[in-house]
Amino acid sequence: MIRLAKFAIGQVVRHRDLPLRGVVVDVDPEFGHGDAWWSALPAEGRPDRHQPFYHVIAEGLEDDRAAYLSEQNLVADVSGDPICHPGAERQFAGFHDGRYQHRRDDVN
């Protein structure tokens, strides 16, 4: 059963256990990176495949490749602050009220 995503594109999130903070740039309703990627994860730490997975541009990552994180490992960031990553400015139109705003050309 596919669940509704808890976090939205443009929302700032934190990893539950790691010092990782970023912004959601895309959402997969279930794990979507293929069996080879899944098999490379340590078996004892693998999250459930049947939950939303998020592409997150994160502070501290040096390029625009997004981290791929399961919903169970994320919490909402309540600081109200933007992230420190140049990719956020390229992906979004701006930051207002604790969220990144979609670019007008991205909206149909």
Side-chain angles (χ1 to χ4, degrees):
M1 180 171 104
I2 295 177
R3 298 187 341 222
L4 293 177
K6 181 177 180 180
F7 306 108
I9 294 171
Q11 186 171 356
V12 179
V13 293
R14 291 183 176 274
H15 193 282
R16 184 176 302 282
D17 300 319
L18 302 174
L20 185 143
R21 180 174 175 269
V23 60
V24 175
V25 295
D26 199 6
V27 182
D28 292 340
E30 290 189 333
F31 180 80
H33 264 178
D35 291 332
W37 195 91
W38 186 259
S39 297
L41 295 172
E44 65 278 358
R46 282 185 200 146
D48 180 7
R49 291 175 79 124
H50 305 291
Q51 64 178 311
F53 276 73
Y54 299 85
H55 302 261
V56 177
I57 293 176
E59 294 176 333
L61 297 181
E62 298 193 15
D63 57 26
D64 285 348
R65 284 184 290 169
Y68 195 61
L69 303 167
S70 65
E71 186 169 274
Q72 76 187 51
N73 286 319
L74 294 174
V75 295
D77 179 89
V78 295
S79 70
D81 297 328
I83 67 165
C84 295
H85 193 290
E89 290 181 20
R90 289 190 292 273
Q91 291 274 339
F92 296 99
F95 186 80
H96 182 68
D97 288 337
R99 294 186 74 104
Y100 282 90
Q101 307 300 309
H102 289 279
R103 293 191 178 280
R104 287 201 172 272
D105 56 342
D106 291 343
V107 179
N108 294 334

